[in-house]
Amino acid sequence: MTRRALVAVLGGSAALLLLAVVGCVGAVIRVVGNDPGDTPECRETVRAEEAKVHTQRWYPPEELPGLGDYLEIHWQVRSLAGEPCGRAPGPVEWAYQGVVRLRPADARTLAQRYGFVPYAPAEPDQAPLTSPADAWPALAPFLPAAPRWLHSRVYDEATPSTRWRTAFLDVEHRTLFFTLQDH
């Protein structure tokens, strides 16, 4: 075999090998990229769920201790981290916000039991990560017009703390604003 023929054979073999590698990589990308959960329908369902204002009672009730037999609740959920429509490994983190209208006696008892104190935005390292000012637009209509918010770190850290919790209470308007976040 001449040198020229050898170069042609090796060159052709290299080209075929390159095409095979590119084809395999392309196939892998198509298989991984063809995530059956990541569909327009799934994304639309997630968007619809995040826009919905729920009114069913909070479950489990222990996540929001001391509310008593409250009159009404409005809450929403949003995904924070992870991909709810993907099949990639890893959890999806969810955030919840809600507004609860309490009975007058339950609002007073809650304030006393957990030592709620007047809330004023404090130093950044001492302020909660969310406040009623951060309420999602669909929940804002359920907040009092001229609130006097109280806050309690004791309540935020009360057992069970399966979710990160922040709550603000307006005793006069018998309203509790809460945020919960998976952790």
Side-chain angles (χ1 to χ4, degrees):
M1 188 177 278
T2 67
R3 184 169 210 200
R4 202 175 277 189
L6 184 59
V7 169
V9 169
L10 288 177
S13 297
L16 286 175
L17 181 59
L18 180 61
L19 284 174
V21 168
V22 169
C24 288
V25 169
V28 168
I29 289 172
R30 280 193 303 278
V31 168
V32 171
N34 190 16
D35 187 346
D38 191 5
T39 64
E41 294 83 16
C42 178
R43 292 197 181 283
E44 185 57 38
T45 300
V46 169
R47 276 192 292 275
E49 188 63 25
E50 289 179 347
K52 183 178 179 181
V53 175
H54 299 269
T55 57
Q56 66 267 30
R57 295 188 80 72
W58 189 262
Y59 186 82
E62 301 84 36
E63 289 183 347
L64 296 169
L67 300 187
D69 185 26
Y70 51 87
L71 300 171
E72 64 185 45
I73 186 171
H74 298 88
W75 59 273
Q76 286 186 290
V77 60
R78 293 194 178 158
S79 62
L80 285 182
E83 181 53 58
C85 290
R87 64 177 180 180
V92 175
E93 291 183 15
W94 298 96
Y96 304 85
Q97 282 191 0
V99 180
V100 183
R101 199 158 80 80
L102 304 167
R103 297 183 184 280
D106 291 334
R108 289 190 299 274
T109 300
L110 186 65
Q112 293 169 352
R113 183 182 199 189
Y114 291 97
F116 277 83
V117 296
Y119 171 71
E123 296 298 318
D125 63 331
Q126 297 192 2
L129 295 177
T130 58
S131 72
D134 303 312
W136 296 333
L139 295 175
F142 302 105
L143 295 173
R148 292 187 193 157
W149 292 117
L150 306 174
H151 179 251
S152 170
R153 287 194 180 272
V154 173
Y155 187 84
D156 292 352
E157 298 168 1
T159 304
S161 57
T162 57
R163 300 175 191 258
W164 173 82
R165 173 179 48 226
T166 302
F168 295 86
L169 175 65
D170 181 330
V171 176
E172 180 182 335
H173 293 101
R174 306 174 334 260
T175 302
L176 180 87
F177 171 77
F178 71 87
T179 60
L180 296 172
Q181 183 176 330
D182 290 339
H183 61 103

